[in-house]
Structure formats: C-alpha cells, structure tokens
Amino acid sequence: MYLPPHDPHVDDPMRFKPLFRIHLMERKSATVECMYGHRGPHNGHIQIVKKDEFSTKCNQTEHHRMSGGRQEEFRTWLREEWGRTLEDIFHEHMQELILMKFIYTSQYDNCLTYRRIYLPPSHPDDLIRPGLFKGTYGSHGLEIVMLSFHGKHARATKITGDPNIPAGQQTVEIDLTRRIELPDVENLCNFNELSRIVLEVHEQVRQEQQQQQQQQQEDRTEDDEGAGPPTEKVREPGNEEAAALKEQPVQFVLPVGVSSRNENYPRTCRMCFYGTGLIAGHGFTSPERTPGVFILFDDDRFGFIWLELKSFSLYSRVQATFRNADAPSPQAFEEMLKNIQSLNS
C-alpha cells in the first residue's frame, strides 16, 4: 500500500507499507500472510470477488493488538501515519479528526476490499499531464487525488477520503474556459479583492446556467409543438485553448487571512482558472460546491483557494511509477470514475 508523506510535506515521496504477502507453492497452491500489526506475519486469506476486485482478511487479528491497549495502538499509529505525537497537536479540532480517522481505519483490522483504478488518459492539449497528486487538506492531513481532463473542464477526484468528503468524490472542478487574471501582488494580498474577482465569475456562471435551463425548457416546448428553424451551435473553447495560453510565470502570494498547511508554496504561477470545491459536514452531510481559484504553478504542482473556508490546498505530483495502470480506453476510465463515486454516494 502507498501512503502519502507526513503532513504537510507534500513534495516528499510516497511511503510504502506492505499489508499482506502471498507465497506461491507447488501444484498451484499458495499461502497468504497478513503483515498488519507489530508481531510479524501471520495467517491471512485472500478472495477474488469479481473482475478487478479482491478482498483480504486477517485470520489472527490478535496479532494487531498491543500490550498497552488502544492507547498504545493509537500513539503508535499516530507516529507512523502522521510522523508526530499527540502532544505535538495543539489544535483541538485536528485532534478530533485524527482520532476519528484512527477509529474508522482500525475497525477493519486489515479486512479490506481492493478495486482497480486506472490512471487518466493523457492528450497533447492537456493543460498539464494528468495523474495522481498529493494534496493538503487542512486538519485532515495529506490526501491523494486524481487530476483528469474532460474537454472544457478538469477534475480532481479523491482517491483517499476523510470524515467529511469520502474517496471517489470530485473534490475540485476547474472550468478551463474561465481564466482568472490575478491582481498585482500588492492587491492580491487583499482577500476581499480576490474574492470580488472570483464571485463576479461565479455569478456569471450562475446566470448562464439559468439561461441554459430556460433555453432547454423552451427547446422541449418547441419540440412538442413542432421543429423550429435550426440554431447555430457556437463552439466553446476547451482545454486545448487553455494549453495554448501557457505564458511566463507571474508573482503569486496567498491573500492575508487564507490559511495553508504548507507555507513552502511556489511564489510564481503560470495561470489561474475559476473552479468549485466540494465541502460537507461530517459523514458527507449537506455537500455543496463552493467557488474558488485553481492555480497552476508548474508541470507538477497546482493549488486551490477555497473562498468560503479561506483555506489553500497545495498539490504535488506523485512520482511513483505504477505498472499496467493505464486505462484500456477513455470509456473504461470514465466508467471507473462513476464506479468509485457511486461507492460512497
């Protein structure tokens, strides 16, 4: 299993942690060992559920327990997963979220189901090469997202989730037809100025969506009454135009009041676009898309400013190489995205 680096070191490499291993024997037999816990390999089981899906089960979960009880298990997990101790975490809300994650993950005792994911197809006109990225998510720590391009839009889909937004959801969606020109650095420091620019675009999008809905209703009415004259289709720019807009980097700084887990973010960016980010309460309650700014720093890093949260997420490309992970077709990739989103919907 690959784990994100310790928060907030988003540029560090992924961490590798074995969860089980298979010993192939003679006569096509095999033994499975669970690697979870701190008492060495022990008996496990693996089952092929269906195509592109399998499950593992530990048959000796007592090997996962520690002599010091749950408190020792939690402190060990915190040190391994977060690279820190409980005394290092002063923020009460962050302590609560970390404890929730420990309770949620430890209850499965390495009895897990695995499903295949494909890397997104790449096209020459993409803004940057799509793929997996590590991102900062405030008190939730680092999470993995998959950046993919879909014509006029780009999407970042969560591969790992948290108590608010589960894996499979589109955490960020970028409108590649709506470029945002940032003010100069002095004015960019003013959050209200950036908010004004983005909310103007957000209102334009809302009005256009409203007009489109009205037009669709009128078209349906015309279809019921008889076909009218053909309407001319206006081609809207896609990500090929966005890719063509690449230019010299400009200075970038976070507005005052916007929080960031990682202060070591790039101080120049290539371009910015209007986008929306998905937020929700614990348990994915009351989800809503809120406006924000997608910032392209370079070929391997991008960011997103969540206006409503006054928060900044920095994303850095996963450099690990995965074999046989390319989608056999664009249709197979789109189907995979629908499947992982439906798991937690």
Side-chain angles (χ1 to χ4, degrees):
M1 177 175 69
Y2 281 95
L3 298 170
H6 291 141
D7 178 57
H9 307 293
V10 72
D11 287 323
D12 286 357
M14 298 283 281
R15 296 175 292 132
F16 180 73
K17 179 181 180 180
L19 292 182
F20 64 91
R21 66 184 180 188
I22 303 172
H23 291 280
L24 298 178
M25 316 293 284
E26 295 180 358
R27 299 182 181 179
K28 297 183 179 180
S29 63
T31 59
V32 178
E33 290 182 328
C34 175
M35 306 288 287
Y36 194 79
H38 297 267
R39 295 167 62 181
H42 45 281
N43 187 257
H45 176 73
I46 187 169
Q47 179 182 2
I48 306 298
V49 180
K50 57 184 178 181
K51 182 183 177 183
D52 296 334
E53 184 175 319
F54 69 93
S55 296
T56 60
K57 180 181 179 181
C58 177
N59 296 331
Q60 296 176 292
T61 55
E62 66 273 11
H63 281 67
H64 306 169
R65 306 283 78 85
M66 293 183 137
S67 59
R70 296 292 276 176
Q71 186 174 14
E72 182 185 0
E73 292 170 16
F74 174 62
R75 288 184 175 275
T76 301
W77 175 86
L78 186 62
R79 186 170 59 251
E80 292 179 349
E81 299 295 313
W82 291 75
R84 60 181 69 183
T85 65
L86 191 61
E87 290 73 23
D88 295 333
I89 304 169
F90 302 105
H91 198 290
E92 186 176 341
H93 180 58
M94 188 172 186
Q95 290 180 355
E96 177 187 349
L97 292 174
I98 290 174
L99 183 58
M100 287 175 62
K101 190 170 185 178
F102 169 72
I103 294 172
Y104 181 78
T105 56
S106 61
Q107 67 180 319
Y108 292 104
D109 267 335
N110 207 25
C111 298
L112 304 170
T113 298
Y114 300 80
R115 296 178 178 87
R116 184 189 300 276
I117 61 171
Y118 295 121
L119 293 178
S122 179
H123 305 284
D125 54 6
D126 288 340
L127 195 62
I128 58 173
R129 180 167 56 90
L132 298 175
F133 289 77
K134 303 154 287 183
T136 57
Y137 278 86
S139 298
H140 292 299
L142 298 189
E143 300 183 24
I144 306 300
V145 305
M146 177 183 289
L147 179 69
S148 55
F149 292 91
H150 309 262
K152 297 177 292 182
H153 294 84
R155 298 170 187 159
T157 303
K158 279 199 174 187
I159 301 302
T160 59
D162 57 56
N164 293 71
I165 308 294
Q169 298 299 318
Q170 289 178 16
T171 176
V172 171
E173 182 163 348
I174 307 105
D175 189 336
L176 297 172
T177 68
R178 300 186 187 276
R179 179 87 177 267
I180 286 183
E181 295 291 342
L182 294 178
D184 56 55
V185 172
E186 184 175 343
N187 289 321
L188 182 57
C189 290
N190 185 340
F191 176 80
N192 291 333
E193 177 63 15
L194 177 65
S195 181
R196 179 191 64 78
I197 294 172
V198 177
L199 291 179
E200 283 181 0
V201 179
H202 185 66
E203 178 61 21
Q204 291 174 3
V205 172
R206 189 192 66 79
Q207 291 179 3
E208 290 179 12
Q209 289 175 342
Q210 212 171 38
Q211 292 172 359
Q212 288 175 358
Q213 291 173 355
Q214 292 174 353
Q215 185 63 48
Q216 289 172 356
Q217 290 176 351
E218 293 174 1
D219 290 345
R220 282 195 293 269
T221 303
E222 290 178 0
D223 288 341
D224 293 338
E225 297 175 353
T231 57
E232 181 182 357
K233 292 185 177 180
V234 179
R235 180 180 176 274
E236 295 185 15
N239 59 319
E240 65 272 11
E241 281 85 352
L245 288 172
K246 291 182 180 178
E247 56 189 38
Q248 293 299 316
V250 296
Q251 285 186 302
F252 174 81
V253 65
L254 284 177
V256 174
V258 173
S259 63
S260 174
R261 292 289 298 160
N262 193 328
E263 293 299 327
N264 190 29
Y265 61 86
R267 292 314 196 263
T268 61
C269 68
R270 288 183 182 173
M271 59 183 72
C272 300
F273 295 92
Y274 163 81
T276 58
L278 183 62
I279 63 174
H282 286 351
F284 198 41
T285 55
S286 305
E288 63 172 321
R289 303 208 69 88
T290 60
V293 186
F294 170 85
I295 306 111
L296 178 63
F297 293 116
D298 51 43
D299 288 339
D300 295 320
R301 289 178 296 180
F302 65 89
F304 190 79
I305 297 178
W306 309 73
L307 284 191
E308 185 165 327
L309 303 178
K310 283 192 173 182
S311 179
F312 171 72
S313 290
L314 176 64
Y315 301 84
S316 179
R317 185 182 299 279
V318 172
Q319 300 293 351
T321 301
F322 302 97
R323 297 170 58 186
N324 304 318
D326 294 331
S329 67
Q331 294 77 15
F333 177 76
E334 293 291 344
E335 187 66 26
M336 180 215 70
L337 283 183
K338 291 179 183 177
N339 289 338
I340 62 174
Q341 185 171 5
S342 66
L343 294 175
N344 295 288
S345 298

